[in-house]
Amino acid sequence: MFATRRRISHVSISHGLLSHVSGLAQTALTARRCFNGTCRRSITRRISPSPLLIKGQDDVVGARNRARARLFSTISFNDPIEYEWIEGVEPLALYEPGGYHPVMVDDLLHRRYRIVDKLGHGGYSTIWLAHDEQTTRYVALKIGISGQMLPRREPSILSALSKSVANQETAPELLDASTTLPEILDVFNVQGPNGIHVCYTKTLAQGNLKEASFSRLFPIEVARLLVGRLALAVSLIHSRGYVHGDIHLRNVLVKLPSTIDELSIGDFRKTFGEPETVPILRADGEPLPPNAPPMAVVPLYLGRMAEDFTVDDANGLILGDFGEAWAPASEDRMGGDCNTPVAMRAPETLFEPDTPVSYSHDIWSLGTAIWEILGMGFIFDEAATTDEIVAQQIDMLGSQGLPQAWREHWERPKWEELVTETEVNVPRRPPGEEREAWPPLEEAFEVFVQRYRREQEAMGVFGEEETRAILELMRGMLRFKPEERMTIQEVLQSEWMTKWALPRDG
């Protein structure tokens, strides 16, 4: 846990709820104050650049803007209003026609959903904690951008998956895995100054594994179970003919106990703290347009830290965000249109951007997510350039499996003239003197995973036999040629899954 604490107010709630919620509340209040070691209360501002130049505001906008600009033909990225930048909130320049819907705390949407706080944001939506005044329960309310059809995909795909599981014969382990998919509770539209927005409510979750595991390790039994549950979720999705398309730890959530619904909004805020808001200001000092809200809300993290995760938490894993999902049998998704962050993205999307990708894309991303769950750090450098990330992949996995066409392009000298935009964007080897080589897979596991587990021995260390099985699984999932990668069934049947992860499932 973080060292900084705020005293938790006493409210009248049941003893069983208090013991669980107070722990979450301390984490939530601390996480709101501190993020990546910096205090969120001392918020800094600077002029926000054009959305096509935004870097690092979140994992979606920034790395994905070029692809999104092609998709969102209804959004005008010309001469956007520039706002003073606020740490930790959504890109404010996307409060424009076709973009985000302006929302404020205490707003009532669809005549039933009272906005209590913010949970997060992505490139296609903002996510809010809302209280359903009809059912008196808390829900996660996702409000999509208005400019494109993608926000409508998630509820329709999840509905199709749910019906498929209910109507078809399903293996017992996959029937159990159906609890790893989000439950869509309600779907509706709201009209606002930026257009018509698709909204839907889902079961409330603690938060994502990326936030939970920042500089922290999951206990070894919990880490194994999280991986097993995540693999089963992917297996269920693939068995129903879908590719998730965006597997990384920010999209992996953990359920909250339903007993939190016993809290009134007032008691919730006494327990977890008041919403943290910051005034939104234009860089030119002019008044705000109606497209943007007057205040930005810093997201509230409701979850535990990784070291405090229990087996019950791991059993509540949910794989969320199906906005990038597709069915390969009925539609093509070109590599260049994949919006997974580059460090988690299968290499064929980079080397062959005009070629359709399929289930093997998920396998690569799942492999990188497994590594991160086991060792708290990402297998490749998320902050590196595309060329550097590919160089790290080759360093770690070896160049033997690199397809010849990829190798030829990779090794072309920087000075050699390239003709097409596709050629220019395909990765090329960076000059050797400008980079430090990444360690090979076995050494990387020792340096990036085991070393930290030995330093925190209470979290558990992988033994020699288990380490060998993990590395064998990683090599099977992280193969350069997509046709040579394991299928999800082969992943589930691997030695490590069958001996260490899946037997502990459930």
Side-chain angles (χ1 to χ4, degrees):
M1 302 286 286
F2 287 105
T4 308
R5 290 287 185 271
R6 179 189 292 176
R7 180 172 178 171
I8 305 301
S9 301
H10 293 286
V11 293
S12 177
I13 53 178
S14 70
H15 175 75
L17 175 62
L18 179 61
S19 62
H20 187 93
V21 168
S22 62
L24 294 177
Q26 290 189 31
T27 301
L29 291 168
T30 300
R32 199 161 216 164
R33 284 175 154 183
C34 302
F35 180 72
N36 290 2
T38 60
C39 181
R40 281 194 170 184
R41 289 294 182 190
S42 56
I43 293 178
T44 58
R45 300 187 181 97
R46 68 171 181 263
I47 293 177
S48 173
S50 161
L52 289 179
L53 299 177
I54 291 170
K55 297 291 183 183
Q57 285 199 1
D58 67 5
D59 68 305
V60 184
V61 179
R64 309 180 185 183
N65 275 320
R66 293 185 184 277
R68 183 165 297 110
R70 293 196 302 268
L71 290 171
F72 297 166
S73 59
T74 58
I75 296 181
S76 171
F77 287 97
N78 296 322
D79 299 320
I81 295 174
E82 292 186 344
Y83 297 92
E84 292 192 358
W85 181 75
I86 303 173
E87 183 179 1
V89 306
E90 63 275 16
L92 301 177
L94 293 184
Y95 280 106
E96 62 177 356
Y100 294 133
H101 178 59
V103 179
M104 281 302 301
V105 170
D106 292 326
D107 283 354
L108 183 67
L109 273 64
H110 201 49
R111 299 185 299 279
R112 64 184 285 187
Y113 299 109
R114 182 72 61 185
I115 300 297
V116 178
D117 213 317
K118 183 193 282 180
L119 296 174
H121 64 272
Y124 302 126
S125 61
T126 53
I127 304 97
W128 300 84
L129 172 67
H131 189 258
D132 184 346
E133 298 192 347
Q134 287 189 16
T135 63
T136 65
R137 65 184 292 188
Y138 290 97
V139 296
L141 171 58
K142 198 165 186 176
I143 306 176
I145 62 167
S146 66
Q148 218 270 344
M149 290 297 292
L150 280 177
R152 305 172 190 269
R153 295 177 63 90
E154 183 170 31
S156 62
I157 288 174
L158 286 172
S159 176
L161 283 168
S162 177
K163 291 177 182 177
S164 174
V165 171
N167 296 335
Q168 298 182 28
E169 184 175 342
T170 304
E173 65 273 14
L174 292 187
L175 190 60
D176 177 54
S178 64
T179 62
T180 63
L181 302 185
E183 180 185 2
I184 300 294
L185 304 173
D186 191 15
V187 181
F188 58 94
N189 292 338
V190 295
Q191 172 79 53
N194 295 326
I196 298 175
H197 305 259
V198 178
C199 307
Y200 46 102
T201 59
K202 301 185 292 183
T203 305
L204 189 61
Q206 286 189 32
N208 66 63
L209 297 192
K210 184 70 173 180
E211 293 172 305
S213 64
F214 178 78
S215 297
R216 288 166 170 78
L217 288 166
F218 293 105
I220 196 165
E221 289 294 329
V222 171
R224 291 169 179 145
L225 181 53
L226 286 169
V227 170
R229 298 290 291 175
L230 180 56
L232 283 170
V234 176
S235 179
L236 177 62
I237 296 163
H238 285 196
S239 74
R240 295 304 183 253
Y242 287 94
V243 176
H244 182 276
D246 200 16
I247 298 173
H248 52 81
L249 295 198
R250 289 185 179 88
N251 285 338
V252 183
L253 313 173
V254 175
K255 293 177 183 176
L256 271 171
S258 60
T259 46
I260 201 167
D261 294 328
E262 296 176 25
L263 292 172
S264 67
I265 293 178
D267 286 345
F268 183 96
R269 287 177 175 160
K270 288 177 183 177
T271 305
F272 289 95
E274 294 292 325
E276 182 177 349
T277 59
V278 182
I280 295 177
L281 302 173
R282 286 178 58 148
D284 58 10
E286 293 296 317
L288 290 178
N291 308 89
M295 308 287 286
V297 184
V298 179
L300 170 69
Y301 177 63
L302 283 174
R304 304 178 189 270
M305 295 294 102
E307 68 265 29
D308 299 319
F309 265 53
T310 66
V311 167
D312 286 342
D313 289 322
N315 274 317
L317 179 144
I318 304 171
L319 176 56
D321 200 343
F322 282 70
E324 296 284 347
W326 80 96
S330 59
E331 58 182 314
D332 285 339
R333 176 69 56 84
M334 300 302 165
D337 292 329
C338 289
N339 291 318
T340 308
V342 175
M344 299 84 159
R345 192 185 306 174
E348 62 269 21
T349 66
L350 305 173
F351 282 99
E352 299 178 2
D354 296 326
T355 300
V357 291
S358 191
Y359 302 100
S360 54
H361 177 270
D362 273 355
I363 300 300
W364 180 282
S365 298
L366 176 61
T368 65
I370 289 173
W371 181 285
E372 192 171 6
I373 289 171
L374 299 182
M376 90 177 176
F378 198 69
I379 188 170
F380 307 117
D381 185 358
E382 293 180 271
T385 65
T386 298
D387 289 351
E388 179 62 30
I389 289 170
V390 173
Q392 292 169 5
Q393 294 170 354
I394 294 172
D395 288 341
M396 184 176 285
L397 304 172
S399 61
Q400 302 88 339
L402 203 66
Q404 184 60 33
W406 298 8
R407 185 191 302 274
E408 290 174 359
H409 201 292
W410 174 251
E411 295 178 349
R412 290 170 75 174
K414 285 289 184 182
W415 51 261
E416 185 173 330
E417 184 178 356
L418 299 174
V419 179
T420 68
E421 181 181 354
T422 297
E423 287 182 316
V424 170
N425 290 329
V426 170
R428 305 178 80 181
R429 181 167 56 192
E433 65 272 12
E434 295 181 7
R435 60 177 302 270
E436 182 178 350
W438 221 241
L441 185 67
E442 292 75 10
E443 182 182 339
F445 191 78
E446 174 62 34
V447 173
F448 298 156
V449 177
Q450 293 283 64
R451 184 181 71 179
Y452 295 106
R453 286 197 166 272
R454 290 192 178 95
E455 291 173 356
Q456 302 179 43
E457 193 172 353
M459 294 294 102
V461 180
F462 297 105
E464 184 177 342
E465 182 183 359
E466 185 174 5
T467 295
R468 177 192 53 77
I470 291 171
L471 293 173
E472 183 179 287
L473 176 61
M474 288 294 100
R475 287 211 176 271
M477 300 180 75
L478 301 178
R479 290 175 179 158
F480 286 112
K481 295 179 181 178
E483 66 273 14
E484 294 181 356
R485 257 169 244 151
M486 288 175 146
T487 65
I488 190 60
Q489 278 306 111
E490 290 171 334
V491 169
L492 293 178
Q493 293 165 5
S494 68
E495 179 184 3
W496 184 72
M497 283 285 180
T498 55
K499 285 187 178 181
W500 283 278
L502 294 180
R504 292 160 178 78
D505 181 59

